[in-house]
Amino acid sequence: MHIAVTGNIGAGKTTLTTMLSKHYGWDAQFEDVDHNPYLEDFYSDMSKWSFALQVYFLGSRFRQVKEIRESGKNIIQDRTIYEDAHIFAENLNDMNLLSDRDFNNYSSVFDLMKTFVSAPDLLIYLKSDVPNLVKKIYKRGREYEASISIEYLSKLNQKYEKWISNYTEGKLLIIEVDDLDFVEKPEDFGLILEKIEAELHGLF
Ligand SMILES: Nc1ncnc2c1ncn2[C@@H]1O[C@H](COP(=O)(O)OP(=O)(O)O)[C@@H](O)[C@H]1O
Ligand SMILES: Nc1ncnc2c1ncn2[C@H]1C[C@H](O)[C@@H](COP(=O)(O)O)O1
């Protein structure tokens, strides 16, 4: 079984991935954030570092894809490789922070990698409004994320909505998280578990 949690920056992916992995006793795969050699530089100068960061995330995410294929274990994954290409790289190109030449180069590598990627059994999209994303990013308190603009988050949210509305690769569960506090309220976490189990009925 492979479940992936998707959503904008600050939506709660890492928190929910951790809770689900503990609850079901499954392995968790997290994004390469704390040891990422480009992320901090990227936020100080997006145009300069966008290509290097995208190549880094693509490689790191493809390594996870390979591990999922080879491990045969039940895995819950924090963000997918699709988001790097269809959300982040595309948005940077739209914002002229990643040139057409670099974006085309990146996309041809991504298209090749995609042929090895299997969709998760279930994709859980954590949908959140920009003001709530801002609050959670602030609460998390990574210093280099203080420069993230409302415009950047809004554009990413628009990309997420478009991508999710066209997602047909596998089962999809959309959870509106703004009125849920699955961290402090066990009943809210319970609601999420019920929805997951309804989607995966028969596979558990
Ligand atoms: N549903 C929620 N209710 C309250 N706080 C939340 C919720 N989801 C996430 N948080 C908090 O918001 C911050 C960002 O969450 P995180 O899981 O790191 O998001 P992501 O991995 O999507 O960027 C963390 O401090 C986390 O504790
Ligand atoms: N592909 C990406 N391009 C730019 N930035 C990215 C990409 N993937 C992740 N990120 C950033 C966004 C956040 O600052 C950190 C961690 O993501 P989060 O949504 O908070 O788990 O990496």
Side-chain angles (χ1 to χ4, degrees):
M1 181 87 69
H2 168 200
I3 295 183
V5 183
T6 181
N8 206 341
I9 307 168
K13 299 176 301 298
T14 305
T15 310
L16 185 64
T17 300
T18 307
M19 292 171 76
L20 290 176
S21 131
K22 276 196 193 134
H23 180 82
Y24 291 121
W26 293 354
D27 283 11
Q29 271 191 344
F30 295 102
E31 290 184 281
D32 197 347
V33 176
D34 292 340
H35 300 103
N36 187 308
Y38 294 108
L39 199 53
E40 195 168 345
D41 284 333
F42 167 74
Y43 280 119
S44 68
D45 187 342
M46 287 190 170
S47 178
K48 181 171 176 187
W49 295 102
S50 59
F51 184 67
L53 180 72
Q54 291 316 310
V55 171
Y56 183 81
F57 267 124
L58 193 61
S60 137
R61 216 84 70 176
F62 193 69
R63 209 165 294 122
Q64 293 189 336
V65 166
K66 187 168 174 282
E67 273 171 31
I68 293 171
R69 281 176 80 107
E70 290 171 357
S71 77
K73 289 183 180 164
N74 289 326
I75 286 185
I76 170 115
Q77 184 190 20
D78 178 349
R79 186 165 274 143
T80 63
I81 195 167
Y82 304 122
E83 291 157 79
D84 295 308
H86 298 312
I87 310 291
F88 286 95
E90 246 187 63
N91 179 55
L92 288 166
N93 179 242
D94 288 356
M95 293 179 81
N96 292 320
L97 295 165
L98 181 65
S99 71
D100 288 344
R101 178 169 59 170
D102 285 345
F103 180 62
N104 291 337
N105 179 7
Y106 171 92
S107 298
S108 75
V109 178
F110 172 73
D111 288 343
L112 193 61
M113 287 179 164
K114 211 170 57 177
T115 60
F116 291 90
V117 177
S118 306
D121 296 298
L122 178 65
L123 183 71
I124 304 174
Y125 171 47
L126 303 186
K127 183 178 163 126
S128 180
D129 286 349
V130 171
N132 283 300
L133 295 171
V134 172
K135 274 187 220 156
K136 289 190 206 142
I137 292 168
Y138 180 76
K139 178 179 170 193
R140 177 167 65 196
R142 285 186 197 132
E143 255 176 51
Y144 53 81
E145 289 183 340
S147 66
I148 294 178
S149 67
I150 304 275
E151 185 201 6
Y152 184 66
L153 288 174
S154 305
K155 285 181 186 293
L156 292 176
N157 248 7
Q158 285 165 16
K159 289 272 175 207
Y160 268 105
E161 288 299 310
K162 188 172 155 218
W163 174 60
I164 287 294
S165 64
N166 291 313
Y167 182 82
T168 51
E169 279 83 353
K171 282 180 186 286
L172 172 68
L173 173 60
I174 300 175
I175 299 180
E176 305 216 2
V177 285
D178 290 342
D179 296 326
L180 291 180
D181 185 349
F182 52 81
V183 179
E184 299 292 341
K185 293 189 185 160
E187 65 273 25
D188 284 0
F189 183 55
L191 281 177
I192 293 179
L193 295 178
E194 271 175 30
K195 288 183 182 197
I196 292 175
E197 285 160 31
E199 283 296 329
L200 294 180
H201 187 68
L203 290 174
F204 267 101

